[in-house]
Amino acid sequence: MTVEGMLEVTRVPTTRRYLMCPPRFFAVDYVINPWMDPSQPVDTDLAMAQWTELRDTYRRLGHTVEEIAAEPGLPDMVFAANSGTVIDGRVLGSRFRAPQRAAEAEHFRRWFVEHGYRDLTMPTKINEAEGDFAWTGKLLLAGTGFRTDPAAHAEAQEVLGVPVVSLRLTDPRYYHLDTALFVLAEATDTAPAQIAYYPEAFSAGSRRVLSRLFPDAVLADEADASCFGLNAVSDGRNVVLPLEAVSLADRLAARGYEPVLLDISELRKAGGGPKCCTLEIRK
């Protein structure tokens, strides 16, 4: 354990602004990741209840949550994180690899336009937004291997004007970066960013990069990863994650974070969790 992990650490939350989409038309009608099985029944009402609890938890923690209306025929629209990356008010939209999700991008684009975001660019490369992009406060960690094109990383750097570090995912179960890594605390002028990740989801070279950049990272194990424990959302103190991620929650608590465990079992049937449902709007 690091020195930090052995000391009493006071974590300070920062208020966030999120965009979410209710799972009004949630279903598993097709397969675009290993978690999806159309033969298994899906309870839309239960998915809505779990999503509502997630939204209400954010609000109880002091964050602002805005909502975009769900659209019929787009059952994965609930996973709003895949629809945009917003840094300093600059918006880079999305371009989905799976044709079943392609129409989502335009609905989110319109939402941003209607809400006054003028600095908005739609990508030319396959880019699944915060599914594969994680902002650390100084760097944009960018995943590839299954969904987002490597060329989208350069496009994101050009559009958003932030340095990008590419990471390769190698396990199809962790098809997006946000299933294998999340930012616990963003970097400040006096402190580096802190992340949590599952090393086995990444290529050997990417693991070396992460180890160099984040030597004090929280490392997750297979049990943490397989319940979508890394598909979590942190405000710098409170960390919202699936209730099964008890080992990871213990590690986070030892570092001074406050785990907030929620049931996302129905949403996980489509390969989603708290972060998948949550697009952060950074002004």
Side-chain angles (χ1 to χ4, degrees):
M1 181 178 288
T2 64
V3 172
E4 181 188 26
M6 294 185 290
L7 298 175
E8 185 71 24
V9 178
T10 300
R11 302 289 180 186
V12 179
T14 58
T15 56
R16 309 295 176 101
R17 185 178 178 211
Y18 299 131
L19 177 60
M20 300 180 69
C21 179
R24 196 169 308 282
F25 305 104
F26 181 71
V28 179
D29 294 331
Y30 45 78
V31 177
I32 59 173
N33 68 58
W35 305 92
M36 303 178 83
D37 182 356
S39 71
Q40 296 298 312
V42 172
D43 187 334
T44 303
D45 290 339
L46 178 57
M48 180 66 79
Q50 292 177 353
W51 179 89
T52 300
E53 178 60 22
L54 175 63
R55 180 201 63 190
D56 293 349
T57 295
Y58 290 145
R59 288 175 173 166
R60 283 197 299 271
L61 292 173
H63 306 307
T64 298
V65 179
E66 300 197 45
E67 296 182 31
I68 182 173
E71 296 289 334
L74 296 175
D76 282 342
M77 196 170 165
V78 59
F79 301 130
N82 304 145
S83 297
T85 306
V86 187
I87 299 175
D88 294 334
R90 187 174 290 119
V91 182
L92 177 61
S94 62
R95 187 181 181 94
F96 288 91
R97 182 168 297 279
Q100 295 93 332
R101 297 195 66 184
E104 295 176 33
E106 174 60 15
H107 290 293
F108 280 88
R109 186 198 69 80
R110 287 205 302 264
W111 186 92
F112 280 110
V113 170
E114 291 166 0
H115 287 77
Y117 291 84
R118 296 291 176 257
D119 196 345
L120 184 154
T121 302
M122 297 304 290
T124 63
K125 308 299 182 184
I126 299 297
N127 174 338
E128 299 204 353
E130 285 196 335
D132 275 321
F133 290 148
W135 177 239
T136 70
K138 299 290 185 182
L139 301 170
L140 186 67
L141 302 179
T144 189
F146 298 102
R147 296 291 186 85
T148 297
D149 284 346
H153 298 178
E155 187 173 33
Q157 180 168 280
E158 189 65 24
V159 170
L160 297 172
V162 298
V164 174
V165 174
S166 294
L167 302 168
R168 178 164 290 277
L169 298 160
T170 57
D171 186 330
R173 294 175 299 167
Y174 308 110
Y175 57 93
H176 273 149
L177 184 66
D178 72 356
T179 65
L181 177 152
F182 73 100
V183 178
L184 280 161
E186 292 183 5
T188 66
D189 291 337
T190 58
Q194 186 166 68
I195 69 168
Y197 69 101
Y198 176 49
E200 286 73 14
F202 296 91
S203 68
S206 294
R207 290 198 298 271
R208 291 195 296 271
V209 169
L210 287 168
S211 180
R212 283 175 177 269
L213 288 175
F214 306 101
D216 198 35
V218 176
L219 302 182
D221 59 23
E222 169 67 19
D224 296 324
S226 63
C227 70
F228 270 53
L230 291 155
N231 195 248
V233 177
S234 174
D235 63 13
R237 174 180 172 86
N238 304 289
V239 184
V240 179
L241 68 168
L243 60 82
E244 298 90 347
V246 290
S247 177
L248 179 58
D250 287 343
R251 292 192 193 100
L252 297 177
R255 300 287 190 101
Y257 295 98
E258 293 285 344
V260 181
L261 301 172
L262 297 181
D263 184 4
I264 51 89
S265 55
E266 204 64 19
L267 296 164
R268 191 163 49 223
K269 291 179 179 178
K275 175 54 191 171
C276 287
C277 296
T278 311
L279 190 162
E280 184 169 350
I281 300 174
R282 303 172 187 86
K283 285 195 172 182

